Amino acid sequence: MSKTLRLILGDQLNESVSSLADLDKGSDIVLMCEVMGEVTYVRHHKKKVAFILSAMRHFADRLRAQDVSVDYVSLDDPENSSSFTGEVARAVARHDVSRLVVTAPGEFRVLEDMQNWETDLGIAVEIRQDDRFLCPPAMFESWAAGRKQLRMDFFYREMRRHHDVLMADGKPVGGKWNYDADNRERPDPSLKVPAPLQFPPDETSQTILNLVRRYCADHFGELDEFGFAVTREQALEVLQDFIANRLPLFGTYQDAMIEGEPWMYHSHIGFYLNIGLLGPGEVITAVQTAYEAGTAPLNSVEGFIRQILGWREFIRGIYWLKMPHYATENFLAADRPLPDFFWTGDTQMNCLRQSIGQTKKYAYAHHIQRLMVLGNFALLAGLAPKFVNEWYLIVYADAFEWVELPNVSGMVLFADGGYLASKPYAAGGAYINRMSNYCQNCRYKVAEKTGSDACPFNYLYWHFLIRNRDKLGNNARLGMIYRSLDRMSEDKQQTIMDDAGQFLNDLV
Ligand code: FAD
Ligand code: DLZ
Ligand code: SF4
């Protein structure tokens, strides 16, 4: 009987992945490989590497327990060729197979490699659609066809209708599509944010942690206090813990940031969704069930479901629609290198110091820290998309290019010229002050607009608008802001330009 080799990648850790659909346990072999090429194509955060490799080993054990033949190549295997292509070639020779089945990868560069395997390796290669998403690429393409700009809100409504989520008699539950008017409260530092569920490393994780210490010593990030879920059961526990303890206040404090509270009321399930330990459909069902049982309010439930059914699917649709050229877009011609403090956290700007510090420690920051603190700074300072994308791909344990790139280039840097977002998410210090308590412990004064003590976000904001006027001046959503700029005295504008110029010159 002819054998089939089935390749499972480190972010495809689910038995229902399409590459296993017709698995013949009697003859087929599942290949999983730890390869340095994936560990270092960007030098991922140490905790991210440990998380993915440990989850891979646990998943291999899970398959073996179901009598599946798994050929697992470890990072320290002396014969390891360091790449997917090399490992597939070695496995083809080892097992004498004539056919390879794999689920489409989440990154374009890996797909390009895969598309050469049939010719290079001389076997039949079947690349199957990744059906762990709720909007197949073809469905997104037909929705996007003919639209010059894509807007998540309209996509989200289609998805709600199509999947019949939070709908009643063809109308949105509660009468509105979006309850953000009830969300986005300022932080209350006296909040007792529940501690996140952490899992002490078992023997498999301990082995991986040692491997990461050995192979990734010079990578970004801290490895101690590793507490990620690495099995499906643990990931399900994280989901249940979120629904019981955080979901009710998710919406209210979705945008809030409190010093020393990295996890807030977020779900922390992005890690698990993105490597396959959880699926978006089951998460949405569980959250909707909590609403129907009366244990979570509509503002939180709708807001959360919008992130998964709306944003996550929308972002992925854009990635596959616009690659490969999306990766090189740079509408604002931003060209500044990344300042060193993005790696060290050594800056006097407290909001950046806190966000980078927790990123180093946990390989996690929540959405508003990524968007309105770190991203806002990258946008205003004119950091080059190439470096900013690389940084985000390295530092977050949930980062894979399909989701990282559109968020960074499209949402944060406006590098696609407004295809994804209607205007740049630019803001001065007042926004950060409203949504966090960071400014209280900052060397800079958020209320000061210019001068050596002024919050740098304040003058960088106007500097950004002034220097990009030719590209942004006609944006209808920025009209009022440009009119305020025009009302500013020439002296004041000059002071802003001088302060910002000085700040940016000193940035290393
Ligand atoms: P929650 O706040 O609890 O949200 C629930 C889920 O909704 C998330 O787990 C995620 O699956 C989904 N979601 C929410 N917003 C988005 C979004 N904008 N795009 C896609 N999915 C979304 N998310 C990633 O999964 N990987 C990334 O590499 C990534 N990079 C980002 C970079 C920037 C600059 C920005 C602004 C956002 C990025 N996001 C990314 C989106 C979002 O910040 C993370 O999904 C979220 O912070 C993960 O934490 P959580 O699981 O606690 O999310
Ligand atoms: C991110 C990652 C890392 C660090 N290491 C591996 C690995 O050793 N083996 C593997 O199969 N996958 C790994 N991954 C995930 C891949 O980078 C991911 O599957 C591709 O980027 C496609 O999305
Ligand atoms: Fe950040 Fe400015 Fe507030 Fe300091 S004053 S924490 S730099 S927003």
Side-chain angles (χ1 to χ4, degrees), residues 255-267:
D255 290 4
M257 301 171 277
I258 300 178
E259 203 170 314
E261 291 288 358
W263 307 100
M264 293 300 293
Y265 290 89
H266 292 267
S267 67

Side-chain angles (χ1 to χ4, degrees), residues 9-11 33-35 38 44 52-53 56 84 106-107 109:
L9 306 181
D11 54 355
C33 41
E34 299 171 358
V35 288
E38 292 306 302
H44 300 285
I52 291 169
L53 300 193
M56 283 177 68
F84 284 145
E107 302 198 346
R109 76 188 161 88

Side-chain angles (χ1 to χ4, degrees), residues 432-482:
I432 295 172
N433 189 36
R434 188 162 66 249
M435 297 316 300
S436 79
N437 63 354
Y438 294 148
C439 301
Q440 290 165 19
N441 291 328
C442 188
R443 166 249 181 273
Y444 295 104
K445 295 190 170 57
V446 71
E448 292 192 17
K449 308 292 180 214
T450 52
S452 58
D453 286 338
C455 166
F457 278 104
N458 291 341
Y459 46 71
L460 286 176
Y461 174 76
W462 292 112
H463 186 265
F464 167 79
L465 290 167
I466 294 168
R467 75 172 188 267
N468 289 303
R469 187 162 201 152
D470 58 333
K471 302 220 168 93
L472 302 176
N474 288 333
N475 183 310
R477 296 199 58 202
L478 295 176
M480 224 165 74
I481 291 159
Y482 273 109

Side-chain angles (χ1 to χ4, degrees), residues 250 266-270 273-274 304 307-308 311-312 315 364-367 370-371 392 398-400 403-404 407-408 411-412:
F250 171 85
H266 292 267
S267 67
H268 329 130
I269 62 160
L273 279 170
N274 293 355
F304 184 78
Q307 307 308 311
I308 309 256
W311 278 111
R312 187 169 186 267
I315 288 285
Y364 178 82
H366 72 64
H367 188 69
R370 296 188 205 195
L371 180 66
Y392 276 96
D398 54 30
F400 296 88
V403 55
E404 173 278 325
N407 269 301
V408 171
M411 198 176 324
V412 159

